[in-house]
Amino acid sequence: MRINAFRYFLSPNTQRSAKAVHPELHPETNSAIMGVSFLSINCRADTGYNYLFNNASMNEQTAFKPCDLVIFGALGDLSRRKLLISLYRLEKASLIEVDTRIIGIDQHEGDNAGFVEIIRKSLQEFLNETIDEQIWARYAARFSYLQIDLTQLDQYQLLNNVVDGQSRVMVNYFAVAPFLFTNICQGLAQCGVLNEESRMVMEKPIGHDLKSSKEINDAVAAVFSEKQVYRIDHYLGKETVLNLLALRFANSIFTTNWNHNTIDHIQITVAEEVGIEGRWDYFDKTGQLRDMLQNHLLQILTFVAMEPPVNLEAQSIHNEKIKVLSALRPITRENVAQKTVRGLYTAGELKGKPVPGYLEEDGANTDSTTESFVAVKVAIDNWRWAGVPFYLRTGKRMKYKRTEIVVNFKQLPHNIFKESFQDLPSNKLIIHLQPNEGVEIQILNKIPGIDENIKLQKTKLDLSFFETFKNSKIFGGYEKLVLEAMRGNPTLFLSREEIEQAWTWIDSIQDAWAHIDAAPQLYAAGTWGPEAANELIARDERAWEDEA
Ligand code: BG6
């Protein structure tokens, strides 16, 4: 097989130039860089905020060893919108090991200079800040480009010319469609470039059901051991999702009240303003259930519902998450209509501007019945959560971008404040995951005054993360996860078993929907979803937080 015009060359000076353009960070090789990263980690660890970065499961041996970060699909959407942007931010924070190199692989013909130009354009488009020329010079010097047709196994030999397995850890980031995962694994195995230290990073969708997920995981397992595999859910890189561990397991007021004795029900909402964003084809084959609920919402759910892990090591956390996932009561063909809602947005208005409906988006097939919204009433069959429903909902083109958890505590058994409230409102803990990250507790308070009667008012104890931690730099999910993959810390990544448990439960819904031929309920863009989602929770005499 002829290798297409091979115009790649890796600058032999990459390593030297990276140091040269950034001399102040390189007095004695890496120590300054490491000093900077330790400093920032420790500062934040002091606040108790970034605990997972200091955890014992980090592989000390390779934690700061330089990497050859190989991005498969370097010119694709995921790479340009997220990875290259996150890596720039890490560069800016001096968190990338000074000798780390980044090798972009894609099927298109190109050279280093062309690749660097594309990176620059991506930053201009997606960074949302002015490019710092000094940082850029340092950043750009790390990159090289290699053209490989990922379906042609013999072309992977080219990697041997560029990857240095002796002094660097090879971190393979699969930023491509899952149908290529098997090819890449085989190509890497065949060309002999991997060693025991090598890692692979992959993202959802890992399959579209349990069967296909197992196939992908099997293909990966044939080449990489489980400890070399880093499965990303970018929600696990979000500070506020991680903060759930701190909130729950470092505060006795929550620890002792976190069960069916005190909690009435819990709502988890991941509402998006965005529509399909030019991804109609991908999304239409996927739908909101697989795109968002199978991963992000179930991950949030596991953090909310899990038992206390014995420590913060990856395995301990995985164990507890798996227990939650395996306790999810399956949705059946008999109860799916009562317990779930599928929705689809029609044209509407968002922030005062008209937006098209799902079926009018670019590239749409007007016969589609894919859901852009899903709501589910979930039961967790274990001791802690017996009788406590979890209501989950997520949708595109909803009224606002809002990701939040609302923990509704039980009503008190007797009301002595009837003058103020016939029905005493119950306490709520609202955890705002994004935007306006923070934690809010709704309580009842006496209105100050010398009236004869005590009058109550609903009030809030409000903790805004940005106000409270204004001196801490808060990184986005991708930044954190890419850095952890380079460091070799598996804590924030998903295990195979977690993914497969999640698919088992999602498959039960998918099967039931197919069986009853559930057509999506329409909702106008810019609303909170179809009326049926309100009815789902209203049947239990409850309401979503935005309606409550
Ligand atoms: C991705 C989904 O995983 O998460 C997208 O594929 C979705 O459809 C996105 O829009 C939401 O992420 P975030 O971080 O904006 O909430």
Side-chain angles (χ1 to χ4, degrees), residues 435-452:
N436 307 325
E437 288 81 347
V439 177
E440 176 186 324
I441 300 179
Q442 292 187 3
I443 55 168
L444 293 171
N445 215 66
K446 176 184 173 300
I447 304 170
I450 48 169
D451 293 359
E452 221 179 298

Side-chain angles (χ1 to χ4, degrees), residues 36-72:
V36 171
S37 33
F38 270 131
L39 188 68
S40 52
I41 290 161
N42 287 342
C43 289
R44 292 188 294 139
D46 284 343
T47 64
Y49 198 56
N50 220 19
Y51 40 85
L52 283 173
F53 274 40
N54 264 351
N55 118 24
S57 70
M58 186 189 285
N59 179 347
E60 294 296 337
Q61 297 279 280
T62 54
F64 298 103
K65 197 166 168 181
C67 301
D68 273 338
L69 174 63
V70 182
I71 304 177
F72 293 91

Side-chain angles (χ1 to χ4, degrees), residues 34 161 269 285 374 449 493:
M34 285 163 67
N161 304 336
T269 294
K285 291 192 194 96
V374 51
F493 298 84

Side-chain angles (χ1 to χ4, degrees), residues 189-240:
Q190 195 169 303
C191 75
V193 78
L194 299 174
N195 61 29
E196 275 183 4
E197 278 192 327
S198 311
R199 300 175 200 135
M200 72 85 70
V201 185
M202 65 174 162
E203 291 228 15
K204 63 161 264 274
I206 300 178
H208 59 272
D209 56 13
L210 179 62
K211 182 169 171 288
S212 52
S213 167
K214 281 190 164 165
E215 282 162 10
I216 293 174
N217 280 322
D218 284 345
V220 170
V223 177
F224 295 95
S225 68
E226 181 66 12
K227 74 174 179 13
Q228 294 177 291
V229 179
Y230 288 64
R231 297 180 190 82
I232 284 194
D233 182 316
H234 77 276
Y235 269 54
L236 294 195
K238 292 184 193 275
E239 284 293 355
T240 41

Side-chain angles (χ1 to χ4, degrees), residues 11 27 34 47 75 91 124 137 143 186 249 267 282 302 304 321 365 399 407 420 445 459 487 511:
S11 155
M34 285 163 67
T47 64
L75 304 182
E91 183 76 80
Q124 281 159 345
F143 285 92
Q186 287 169 353
F249 303 125
Q267 301 178 13
Y282 156 77
T302 58
V304 173
K321 285 160 75 187
N365 156 13
K399 192 162 185 172
V407 180
S420 306
N445 215 66
T459 48
R487 282 183 172 147
D511 167 79

Side-chain angles (χ1 to χ4, degrees), residues 97-113:
E97 224 295 330
V98 73
D99 288 333
T100 286
R101 304 182 301 190
I102 306 171
I103 299 151
I105 310 248
D106 216 304
Q107 61 184 346
H108 304 287
E109 193 174 329
D111 57 14
N112 294 352

